[in-house]
Amino acid sequence: MALEAGLIGLFFIQALRFLVGMLYTQTAGASAMLALQSLNIDPLPPGGPDPTLVRSEISFTIAMLGLPLLTLILGKVRPLIFAGTLLVVVGRALMNLQVVLTPTAAAALVVGGGLFYLAFLVRWRANHFPIFFVAGIGADQLFRAAGNTLDPSWAANYANVQIGLSFIAALIAFIALVWSETRPQPPMPGPEYGLLPFWGGVGIGGLLFLQLALLAIPNAIAGRADYDYAIIVPFLTAATLLPLVPSVRSRVMAFLNTFDAGLRGWLWMLLIILLLVFGTRLQGVIGAITLILAQFGATMIWWWLLRRRTERDRSFNGLWLILAMAIFAILIAFDTFTYDYAYVRGLSGNLAFLNDIVVPLMRGFQGLGLVVLASPHSLPPCQ
């Protein structure tokens, strides 16, 4: 089951990174095509995005992100977790095959199926929830390290390998489903039964942004710290995967247990914020080490976003997962429009005065994601 969660997590992270990049570039390209149309210039040069196709891809993505809502009704039907697995493995293979769906739509299918799968994982196999993200992000780092920052799994010639991995993941998921249905279920509450609270959903969105914008990206850390990328990669991957070791998590919790229960979340939040502040301002080996430590601290939080479910609890896991993706999308959008480069320009004319107000507010909102992420609401005992 842990291997299944790790593979599905890997497909999810790969597709999410791809989807963010493609939606941004395709939308920008389609906007340029429409501008050319308004000037009576041929809007479709070779390779240019078709605005109609881009609109359909955006609509399909929104529909796929709504899949977790089905779990509000169907969440008690435990075998449906296999349906989420099938959506992920099929969509991930279609990203390389480029048949039936465009690569962007196939990535949206993976992300939507991954959220559907994740809602069931939280409800019935909560102890594998952190493995989904940590193993997925760690394996994604290894893929990009093999391609020297470029993910080789996006290439068309990787299709046969991906088909094999998708088949293996589906087979493991089927075996796990049959095995779980034939054995007696443990009593509730227990580590198998989880509940994603509202703040946990917000935390997932903020943590995913931190991971995919900086902390899990070795070339981003190398650029920030002005340090050797090849040296950073193994240490960053180790910092990502180290919390999978139970003894490491036990030592961290032993440290936190020396503090008052109401202060633990704020303490952990403060440590990560300080590491981020110093790491993004220091250069060389000190800056690199500081950001790698921040990645270790952020990775530990995956074990603290859920709480155990009881028979009296009503599950809104699917709804809060959609909230997580909304928070993630807002943070990504704000990051895009506060990053200074040629194609992101400030307002002009009578609205120019907003440039000194709106951009700082957007940057501040990005920081707010970390504050709610590590609040005391998200620190139950480590599983």
Side-chain angles (χ1 to χ4, degrees), residues 5 53 55 115 190 210 313 315-316:
L53 177 61
R55 280 194 293 266
L115 294 173
L210 285 175
D313 286 323
S315 175
F316 293 97

Side-chain angles (χ1 to χ4, degrees), residues 134-213:
V134 177
I137 291 171
D140 179 65
Q141 288 175 332
L142 293 175
F143 268 93
R144 286 185 286 112
N148 195 25
T149 75
L150 176 65
D151 189 349
S153 70
W154 291 355
N157 58 10
Y158 183 80
N160 291 335
V161 177
Q162 183 56 53
I163 291 172
L165 287 176
S166 292
F167 176 78
I168 291 172
L171 180 62
I172 293 173
F174 180 75
I175 294 173
L177 176 64
V178 173
W179 181 74
S180 64
E181 290 297 310
T182 55
R183 70 183 181 95
Q185 296 302 310
M188 192 181 296
E192 296 88 355
Y193 308 110
L195 186 73
L196 180 66
F198 171 85
W199 288 112
V202 175
I204 290 174
L207 190 49
L208 273 176
F209 171 75
L210 285 175
Q211 294 293 291
L212 300 187

Side-chain angles (χ1 to χ4, degrees), residues 33-117:
M33 294 300 103
L34 291 173
L36 290 175
Q37 279 183 334
S38 67
L39 297 174
N40 295 321
I41 300 174
D42 184 7
L44 288 176
D50 182 355
T52 302
L53 177 61
V54 172
R55 280 194 293 266
S56 66
E57 288 176 336
I58 293 173
S59 299
F60 184 76
T61 299
I62 294 172
M64 290 298 99
L65 292 178
L67 280 179
L69 287 177
L70 296 176
T71 64
L72 298 179
I73 303 172
L74 305 174
K76 294 182 179 180
V77 187
R78 187 172 52 188
L80 282 178
I81 190 173
F82 187 65
T85 302
L86 290 179
L87 290 176
V88 171
V89 299
V90 171
R92 186 62 187 86
L94 290 177
M95 285 176 61
N96 293 95
L97 294 173
Q98 300 185 20
V99 296
V100 183
L101 297 174
T102 65
T104 303
L109 178 63
V110 176
V111 173
L115 294 173
F116 185 84
Y117 170 89

Side-chain angles (χ1 to χ4, degrees), residues 133-146 211 214-219 221 229-245 288 291-293 295-296 299 303:
F133 288 104
V134 177
I137 291 171
D140 179 65
Q141 288 175 332
L142 293 175
F143 268 93
R144 286 185 286 112
Q211 294 293 291
L214 175 63
L215 291 182
I217 312 296
N219 46 308
I221 291 180
Y229 163 81
I231 295 177
I232 289 174
V233 169
F235 289 100
L236 184 65
T237 304
T240 300
L241 297 176
L242 200 57
L244 290 172
V245 181
L291 289 174
I292 289 171
L293 290 175
Q295 168 63 354
F296 173 80
T299 301
W303 274 266

Side-chain angles (χ1 to χ4, degrees), residues 1 7 16-17 35 58 75 80 112 126 141 166 191 196 200 206 229 244 300 316 332 343 347 350-351 360 378:
M1 291 186 183
L7 281 173
L16 183 60
R17 288 194 302 104
I58 293 173
L80 282 178
Q141 288 175 332
S166 292
L196 180 66
Y229 163 81
L244 290 172
M300 281 295 305
F316 293 97
I332 287 292
Y343 297 101
L347 298 171
N350 294 332
L351 298 178
S378 62

Side-chain angles (χ1 to χ4, degrees), residues 260-337:
D260 182 82
L263 299 176
R264 294 170 191 165
W266 296 108
L267 172 67
W268 201 253
M269 174 197 71
L270 180 62
L271 287 174
I272 297 176
I273 289 177
L274 288 175
L275 289 170
L276 283 171
V277 169
F278 285 110
T280 53
R281 285 160 176 79
L282 297 176
Q283 299 290 301
V285 64
I286 297 178
I289 290 175
T290 304
L291 289 174
I292 289 171
L293 290 175
Q295 168 63 354
F296 173 80
T299 301
M300 281 295 305
I301 297 176
W302 291 116
W303 274 266
W304 300 329
L305 293 176
L306 306 182
R307 70 175 179 85
R308 293 185 179 181
R309 178 168 57 90
T310 66
E311 293 182 355
R312 301 177 60 182
D313 286 323
R314 189 172 181 181
S315 175
F316 293 97
N317 299 333
L319 183 61
W320 304 144
L321 284 172
I322 293 177
L323 171 67
M325 298 312 296
I327 294 293
F328 174 75
I330 291 172
L331 292 172
I332 287 292
F334 283 9
D335 186 53
T336 299
F337 290 103

Side-chain angles (χ1 to χ4, degrees), residues 1-10 117 128 131-132 135 168-169 172-173:
M1 291 186 183
L3 181 58
E4 170 202 330
L7 281 173
I8 300 302
L10 169 63
Y117 170 89
H128 292 143
I131 297 175
F132 176 94
I168 291 172
I172 293 173

